[in-house]
Amino acid sequence: MFEDDGLGNWSQIAKLTAGDARPNDNFGFSVALSGNTALIGATFGNTSAGAAYLFQDDGSGNWNQIAKLTAADATAFSFAQFGASVALGNGTALVGAFFDSFGIGSAYLFEDDSNGNWSQVEKLTADDAAAGDQFGGAVALDGNTALIGAIESSGAGGAYVFTQFSAADFNEDGNVNGTDLTSWQAGYGTLAGASHMDGDADEDEDVDGRDFLIWQREFSGLGPLSSFSLGPLSSFSQVPEPGSLFLATTSFFVIAWRGRRRLFASSANAKH
């Protein structure tokens, strides 16, 4: 770590190393900085699956490791290159793994629960993923939007934009309202392969009463219940059918990251 003294003089203030450092981990392959927090990738850490490390300034100039991030589905010697790209901002970390699944690539989102506990909340992949795309070769974060590069997509490269939506925002317009309820009604009864826009709020690929309860809670503005867990559907005695809707009183809040569009660029034009 280097710091400007305010007079244009830069001096080293810290050397950061992983708490479990091993030879050839490639610690420092990628770096990101947000406020008093640093994120550093180590593509061969975690037994060659890759890792990323979070460090924080304690306010007295001492930088300490606060977390080690790894993919929930990591396997030893997978050479997924997790940590090849990193981004950091507003309690969220984004880590690319461009050689995941033998070069298809992926990116992982981690969030801080506001108590210093970082956990994986989403694995992002391209809707049109193909072998060798190297999705996750570059990543960036800005608020609730993530931008992820796929170095070899279609042979020319591409980039994907993902935006964060409330789980019950089925039409992904940034609002939870009656239009979303209409989407749930239209999709109700889908037993397999349902998408978010079909009314699937809990990402189990069907559209049922659980999804309505999530819509109800978000529409009512009750917000998240961190301690709430959704039990079997049979435990809800008043889940409405689409033809006889009324407001229920139990649900929970989920955040889902959804890809909105893919960006291509060439010297002549740009496709959206």
Side-chain angles (χ1 to χ4, degrees):
M1 298 288 298
F2 292 79
E3 193 170 70
D4 179 3
D5 65 2
L7 300 173
N9 303 308
W10 288 81
S11 57
Q12 182 177 322
I13 57 171
K15 178 180 179 180
L16 307 184
T17 58
D20 59 354
R22 296 172 59 89
N24 303 314
D25 275 357
N26 277 2
F27 180 89
F29 192 93
S30 59
V31 297
L33 189 64
S34 178
N36 67 341
T37 305
L39 177 61
I40 303 174
T43 54
F44 288 141
N46 192 33
T47 321
S48 296
Y53 296 81
L54 281 157
F55 294 81
Q56 198 166 72
D57 179 1
D58 65 5
S60 300
N62 302 308
W63 287 80
N64 304 304
Q65 182 180 318
I66 58 171
K68 176 182 178 180
L69 308 182
T70 58
D73 58 354
T75 57
F77 303 107
S78 63
F79 305 103
Q81 298 289 306
F82 178 96
S85 57
V86 295
L88 185 63
N90 195 30
T92 303
L94 179 62
V95 183
F98 72 84
F99 210 71
D100 185 28
S101 301
F102 302 101
I104 293 176
S106 60
Y108 297 79
L109 273 163
F110 297 81
E111 287 187 354
D112 177 8
D113 66 359
S114 299
N115 293 315
N117 303 307
W118 289 78
S119 58
Q120 182 181 317
V121 295
E122 195 82 19
K123 178 178 180 178
L124 305 181
T125 57
D127 290 340
D128 58 351
D133 279 357
Q134 298 185 31
F135 176 93
V139 298
L141 274 176
D142 184 15
N144 66 345
T145 301
L147 177 64
I148 302 173
I151 304 168
E152 295 293 338
S153 177
S154 303
Y160 297 74
V161 176
F162 292 78
T163 304
Q164 190 181 40
F165 296 101
S166 295
D169 182 11
F170 300 128
N171 64 355
E172 300 181 352
D173 66 352
N175 300 298
V176 176
N177 52 30
T179 302
D180 302 300
L181 181 58
T182 300
S183 297
W184 176 81
Q185 287 179 276
Y188 181 81
T190 302
L191 299 178
S195 70
H196 182 238
M197 298 188 80
D198 293 326
D200 178 19
D202 57 8
E203 297 189 286
D204 61 357
E205 298 190 358
D206 63 25
V207 181
D208 56 17
R210 291 185 182 88
D211 304 303
F212 168 80
L213 293 176
I214 295 169
W215 173 86
Q216 179 272 324
R217 184 172 189 87
E218 295 190 10
F219 178 75
S220 300
L222 297 179
L225 279 179
S226 59
S227 62
F228 185 86
S229 60
L230 195 63
L233 185 59
S234 60
S235 68
F236 296 100
S237 60
Q238 294 183 320
V239 177
E241 295 294 320
S244 59
L245 291 172
F246 63 91
L247 288 179
T249 58
T250 312
S251 185
F252 74 112
F253 182 86
V254 180
I255 292 294
W257 285 77
R258 298 288 178 179
R260 289 300 300 270
R261 59 193 183 280
R262 181 178 179 183
L263 306 182
F264 293 87
S266 68
S267 57
N269 55 48
K271 295 180 181 178
H272 298 275

